[in-house]
Amino acid sequence: MKYLVFNSKKEASKEAYKILRSLIDENSTLGLATGSTPTDLYEEMITDYKAGNFSYKNIKSYNLDEYVGISYDHPESYHKFMETNLFDHVDIDKANTHVPDASAEDLEGALKSYQEALNNANIDVQLLGVGSNGHIGFNEPGTSFEAGVHVVDLKEDTIQANSRFFNNDINLVPKQAVTMGIKDIMRAKNIILLAFGKAKQDAIRSLVEGDKVTEDVPCTILKNHPSVYVLVDKEADFQ
Ligand code: GLP
């Protein structure tokens, strides 16, 4: 695992983009994340695309997760997030982008087909943020490391943390989500995890310090992955 500390989210995101570029080419498959963490990295990707240095025409993407119970048009759906923060600004073919279909009438069927798609995907780089309780994707503490694509009941602290995107009203935050499983995340060839702010410090300590791997802190599984880059700002640094 490579652990790198930066003065700011911006600096860390610039380096994350350099690392990403060193790991992919224009035919690669990306695992994408949402939340406030990857936004500057997506800006770096857009800037470099606009400068003519990289094309997404043949890039495929698979997202980690999506809320259950809000429509794709909802400004806080992860479908919408990806369009607003990345897809609408680069030449990616939307047909090559995949976000779990969490509002399908046949949710079981949708989980199955996302699982099948992931099983055939060969993700070159998976981008990750981390929840303050150590969740990755929406794999909350206690989730089996053997889990594949599944529906999650979000933990109270996650609902609380994400209420900032929903007018700070926890009643508006979806209580369930569909997420890739830990097993799916671990299958990516490379992983870049970003974490910013003091709220992430404990999760980062569990991830980087020592060798304890526990389902109580899902991100600790990454200690077992052969190619992980962890980039944090100094607030998230635990040392
Ligand atoms: C969210 C997402 C995760 C994200 C994490 C941190 O709930 N499902 O994929 O990495 O929690 O969120 P943020 O980046 O907004 O701090």
Side-chain angles (χ1 to χ4, degrees):
M1 180 184 300
K2 289 202 176 60
Y3 180 60
L4 304 165
V5 182
F6 297 86
N7 282 321
S8 65
K9 173 179 173 181
K10 191 89 214 160
E11 275 180 36
S13 303
K14 278 185 188 297
E15 185 59 27
Y17 182 61
K18 279 192 202 147
I19 294 169
L20 175 66
R21 277 298 311 273
S22 74
L23 298 171
I24 61 169
D25 60 30
E26 292 187 346
N27 295 305
S28 291
T29 300
L30 303 180
L32 299 177
T34 50
S36 53
T37 301
T39 51
D40 284 1
L41 172 55
Y42 292 153
E43 266 179 38
E44 293 296 321
M45 292 163 76
I46 293 165
T47 303
D48 206 38
Y49 160 73
K50 288 193 169 152
N53 296 326
F54 193 80
S55 169
Y56 289 82
K57 224 162 46 193
N58 297 316
I59 292 282
K60 295 191 190 68
S61 75
Y62 292 85
N63 262 78
L64 284 167
D65 44 20
E66 177 59 288
Y67 289 117
V68 171
I70 55 175
S71 76
Y72 292 172
D73 290 341
H74 190 290
E76 296 306 333
S77 84
Y78 288 165
H79 280 79
K80 196 74 184 172
F81 176 99
M82 288 313 303
E83 285 178 6
T84 312
N85 287 279
L86 184 63
F87 298 157
D88 284 350
H89 308 285
V90 297
D91 61 346
I92 199 162
D93 180 348
K94 294 253 174 84
N96 289 336
T97 68
H98 308 83
V99 180
D101 183 4
S103 55
E105 254 176 53
D106 174 14
L107 193 53
E108 273 307 308
L111 298 183
K112 247 195 208 143
S113 70
Y114 203 60
Q115 185 69 66
E116 275 164 24
L118 287 179
N119 292 347
N120 296 314
N122 296 318
I123 291 174
D124 293 293
V125 180
Q126 176 67 56
L127 303 180
L128 291 178
V130 64
S132 51
N133 62 10
H135 73 236
I136 47 178
F138 264 133
N139 292 281
E140 294 280 31
T143 307
S144 164
F145 286 152
E146 293 308 310
V149 176
H150 64 287
V151 177
V152 187
D153 292 326
L154 300 178
K155 298 270 189 205
E156 207 51 49
D157 44 358
T158 300
I159 293 170
Q160 187 67 49
N162 288 4
S163 66
R164 70 191 193 280
F165 299 115
F166 294 86
N167 294 332
N168 291 311
D169 182 349
I170 56 166
N171 298 314
L172 298 179
V173 186
K175 306 296 181 283
Q176 287 189 315
V178 169
T179 185
M180 274 191 204
I182 299 276
K183 205 167 61 184
D184 305 311
I185 292 171
M186 288 296 278
R187 228 184 283 121
K189 278 195 205 103
N190 305 278
I191 290 176
I192 299 177
L193 183 143
L194 303 172
F196 307 122
K198 202 163 169 39
K200 306 294 172 74
Q201 218 180 64
D202 288 346
I204 293 301
R205 177 182 290 108
S206 305
L207 168 59
V208 178
E209 216 176 38
D211 49 17
K212 190 171 173 210
V213 174
T214 167
E215 288 173 353
D216 294 339
V217 188
C219 64
T220 57
I221 187 66
L222 301 177
K223 290 178 202 277
N224 293 344
H225 191 285
S227 178
V228 180
Y229 299 81
V230 178
L231 291 82
V232 304
D233 65 4
K234 52 186 192 308
E235 283 78 29
D237 178 31
F238 63 94
Q239 289 159 331

